[in-house]
Structures are given as structure tokens and as C-alpha cells.
């Protein structure tokens, strides 16, 4: 793979000036908050080797046979957990932490329920949460994530309909609700979270699998699919604004504006007669130019010229080339097990749903296998590919791998990036699926309600 197509190369090319400014501001606020944070106790004293600490709620904790170092450490403590760690044994500290986490979780969940109700998108029955008019309850982990996103939208003053992370989770669940297997709807989100899968804007998720190259070189396919998807996922820009060129046997891509360059040049050539010194009148007679008096030259002036930059042979627009990949002969792969599947980047791969088996095993059951981490064990082959999967079409999930009856291969992936790419937050999958899902989205909510 060309070095400049690697994920690291794309990350290096990001204009991070804004991100750095934000990062500095956040760090500054954190430092300020740390400096100004109040002590977790009301009073602390050391009498006759007994360390006594009065907490903010006026409860008292003590440590007999304390040392001067215990007093110093407790005085500098920034949390109640640290104080308990000083005066108690490990078991008591763990119990206190668990109790505190449960209280905080219950409090947060109750506040979250209020947020859900205020959003006017949910109904709550006891501890079960539902999207309005959809009878399948939401898994608790997904409820917690939705609460987080609603909170973010409110703090940013963004309507939920415009908050992409929230909408992606909502659409994900609606696709799940259309899956005939209840187990998938109940367990799929936890499976995805546990194994670092990423959900897209339209509610699909991104996974990995291996395929076998049938014939010919795949450099073109690899270049186009990587350039297309990484400009979207890492740079967050539109691939239609780039052109692909071939020079000295190597592919490269450039912004439309970089295909030409503007230059200012100094000229004395008369624009009226084009430097000839004369022109023809209506009687087709040659007469001296009145602008330059027949000299062909005038006073110096600047003109702007536009010239084509030599990037080599122009292959085409990046977006158009990607959408045309299924028609390319070099874009041909198959599966390692049966050697019967026609696998192409940009074209869906499917098998009859009735031929797939539901199973919680990771391997050796019928279906199209996928993973996020165990790429070397999913569909043995010489090439890894990134695929999009609709939750509605998942037929089985194990502990680290799953099976579906349809997926869309969107790009080839080098082995050294295959496992790491889905863990890298710089590779944002949110915008990778609009052309695949857009037709179904209009009917999604109605289908989910049915």
C-alpha cells in the first residue's frame, strides 16, 4: 500500500489548528477546575496518633496508629475515595466505591429518564424505555447512550433531529427492531460496544472480514477505496472535490483547485491588437492600433494566468471512480470457503436468509462472518475488507464475531491497519454509508412501528 494512503498519513494531513486550540482550552479549564476544587472533608486533625477526618456530610472516619505521612496524604486528598483508602483496608474501599457507583448510577438514570420524557420521543413503563409507537423495549446500555447524546444536544442547543450521534443510535435501534430475531435487538448493541464496532449516521455498523483475490492486481481498487473512504472518515470532506491522477506508474489525488495554478506575470504586450501593432477595420484594411500606435507594446501591467499543473494523466473524479468500482475487472474477490461468492468493493454480498444459522458460537456456523478484532480468523483470505452491515440483516452473534446474510464491502484494508482502524477515533465512520442506506430510511420509521 502506498504510504500516503495509510491512516497515519491522513491523520498527519489534518489541519489541526482548531482542534489544538480547543484542546488547550479544555486542558486549561481542567487545570483551573483542579486548582479550585474544594477539599473532600470539612476538617482533619491528628491527636495521639489517631487521625480523625470530618467529612462534608459531618460523618467521621478515623485511623488509629496513624503516622505523620498519613496526615499529610489525607490533607492533600482530592476525593472521599482517597480518604477511605488511607483509613480503611482494600475490601472496605471497594465496597464504598461500589455503593457510590450504584447511587450515582441510579441518580443519573432517574435524571436521564426525565430527559427522555422531556424530549417527547419516548415512553417509560416502570424501568422499560420505548420509542413512541414502537413496542420493542430498548436495551439498558442503549438507553444510557441515548441519554448521553440528548444531554450533549441540549448543552449545545441542537435539536435532536439535527444531532447526528443521537439520530444514528435511533436509526440503529429501528433497524434492530426490524430484525426477526429478538436476541439480536436485545444483545447486538452490547456486542458492538464490547468489540469496538462503530455505528454510522444511518444506523449501520462497520466491521471487517477477509476475502480472496481472484485475479489481477488490486492497486487501483485499493487506492480508490482508501482515498474515497478516508477523505470522508478522517478529513471529513467530500470526495467529489478530488481528482485522481497517474504519474510514473503511481496513483495520487488532488483537490480540484490544485489541478490548476494561478500566476501573475508582467506584460507589455498590447491587449487591443494582441501585440501585433495593427488590426483590420470594417473594410478589411490593415491599420495601426490606436492603443499602442502600431508598436504592439504598452506600459507594463500585471495579468493573471491559469495553467494546468502536471500531475500526470487524469484518471477521473474520485467519487465517480469509486461508484464505478463494481464495473472494474480488477475489483474481483471471493470467499475462501466455498469460492462461489462474487465479492466486489461497492456491491452488496448476500446469501439466502433461510440458509443462515442462529448461533452464539464464534465460528463454524452458516452465514457471512464479520468481526472487529479477530480479522485473521474471519473468512480466511489474502485481503482484508471493511464492510457495512445493516443490523436488520444480522443472524447471529458470538463473543467476538458475528454473522449476517448481507454486507457491503466499502474498502480494502492493509493487514497492519485491519485490526487497529476501527479503534482509532480519527477514523470516524459516521458518514460512510449515505449512498447505501438512503433509499430505505424513508420507510424505516413506518416499518419499525409495524
Amino acid at each position: 500500500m502506498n504510504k500516503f494512503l495509510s491512516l497515519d498519513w491522513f491523520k498527519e494531513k489534518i489541519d489541526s489548528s482548531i482542534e489544538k486550540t480547543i484542546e488547550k482550552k479544555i486542558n486549561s479549564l481542567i487545570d483551573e477546575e483542579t486548582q479550585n476544587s474544594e477539599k473532600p472533608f470539612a476538617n482533619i486533625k491528628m491527636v495521639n496518633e489517631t487521625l480523625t477526618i470530618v467529612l462534608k456530610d459531618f460523618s467521621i472516619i478515623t485511623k488509629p496508629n496513624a503516622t505523620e505521612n498519613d496526615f499529610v496524604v489525607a490533607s492533600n486528598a482530592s476525593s472521599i475515595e482517597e480518604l477511605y483508602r488511607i483509613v480503611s483496608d482494600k475490601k472496605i474501599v471497594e465496597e464504598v466505591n461500589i455503593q457510590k457507583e450504584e447511587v450515582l448510577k441510579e441518580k443519573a438514570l432517574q435524571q436521564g429518564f426525565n430527559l427522555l420524557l422531556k424530549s417527547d420521543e419516548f415512553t417509560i413503563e416502570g424501568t422499560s424505555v420505548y420509542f413512541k409507537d414502537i413496542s420493542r423495549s430498548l436495551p439498558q446500555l442503549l438507553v444510557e447512550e441515548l441519554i448521553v447524546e440528548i444531554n450533549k444536544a441540549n448543552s449545545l442547543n441542537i435539536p435532536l433531529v439535527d444531532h447526528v450521534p443521537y439520530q444514528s443510535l435511533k436509526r440503529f435501534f429501528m433497524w434492530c427492531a426490524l430484525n426477526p430475531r429478538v436476541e439480536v435487538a436485545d444483545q447486538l448493541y452490547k456486542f458492538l460496544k464490547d468489540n469496538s464496532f462503530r455505528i454510522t449516521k444511518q444506523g449501520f455498523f462497520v466491521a471487517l472480514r477477509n476475502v480472496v483475490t481472484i485475479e489481477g492486481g488490486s492497486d487501483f481498487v485499493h487506492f480508490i477505496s482508501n482515498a474515497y473512504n478516508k477523505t470522508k472518515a478522517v478529513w471529513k470532506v467530500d470526495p467529489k472535490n478530488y481528482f485522481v491522477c497517474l504519474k510514473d506508474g503511481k496513483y495520487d489525488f488532488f483537490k480540484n483547485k490544485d489541478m490548476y495554478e494561478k500566476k501573475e506575470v508582467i506584460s507589455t504586450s498590447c491587449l487591443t491588437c494582441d501585440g501585433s501593432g495593427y488590426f483590420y477595420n470594417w473594410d478589411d484594411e490593415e491599420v495601426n492600433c490606436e492603443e499602442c500606435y502600431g508598436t504592439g507594446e504598452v506600459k507594463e501591467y500585471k495579468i493573471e494566468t491559469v495553467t494546468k499543473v502536471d500531475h500526470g494523466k487524469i484518471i477521473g473524479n474520485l467519487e465517480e471512480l469509486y461508484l464505478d468500482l463494481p464495473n472494474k475487472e480488477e475489483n474481483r474477490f471471493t470467499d475462501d470457503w466455498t469460492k462461489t461468492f462474487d465479492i466486489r468493493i461497492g456491491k452488496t454480498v448476500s446469501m439466502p436468509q433461510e440458509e443462515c444459522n442462529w448461533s452464539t458460537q464464534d465460528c463454524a456456523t452458516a452465514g457471512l462472518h464479520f468481526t472487529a478484532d479477530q480479522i485473521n480468523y474471519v473468512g480466511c483470505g489474502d485481503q482484508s475488507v471493511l464492510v457495512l452491515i445493516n443490523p436488520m440483516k444480522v443472524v447471529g452473534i458470538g463473543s467476538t464475531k458475528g454473522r449476517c446474510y448481507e454486507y457491503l464491502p466499502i474498502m480494502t484494508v492493509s493487514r497492519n491497519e485491519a485490526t487497529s482502524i476501527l479503534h482509532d477515533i480519527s477514523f470516524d465512520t459516521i458518514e460512510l454509508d449515505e449512498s447505501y442506506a438512503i433509499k430505505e430510511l424513508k420507510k424505516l420509521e413506518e416499518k419499525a412501528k409495524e
Side-chain angles (χ1 to χ4, degrees), residues 15 28 80 84 95 130 136 149 159 165 208 214 224 228 244 275 278 289 310 317 327 334 359 401 413 417 420 442-443:
D15 180 7
S28 172
I80 294 177
Y84 275 106
E95 290 176 355
Y130 304 82
R136 183 169 285 180
E149 294 306 331
L208 290 161
I214 293 180
I224 298 299
Y228 177 84
V244 176
Y278 62 89
C289 175
D310 182 19
N317 177 268
N327 301 320
T334 190
S359 173
K401 292 184 277 290
V413 188
E417 283 189 352
S420 64
K442 293 179 181 178
K443 301 177 181 178

Side-chain angles (χ1 to χ4, degrees), residues 21-22 28 56 110 127 182 264 328 335 346 385 407 409 429 438:
T21 301
I22 294 173
S28 172
K56 290 292 184 66
Q110 187 56 53
T127 58
V182 177
E264 279 191 349
K328 298 297 181 182
D335 65 301
V385 294
Y407 64 80
T429 63
I438 201 69

Side-chain angles (χ1 to χ4, degrees), residues 13 31 125 322 326 382 393 444:
K13 296 297 180 182
D31 292 341
E125 298 177 9
Y322 179 80
D382 62 347
K393 299 176 182 180
L444 172 59

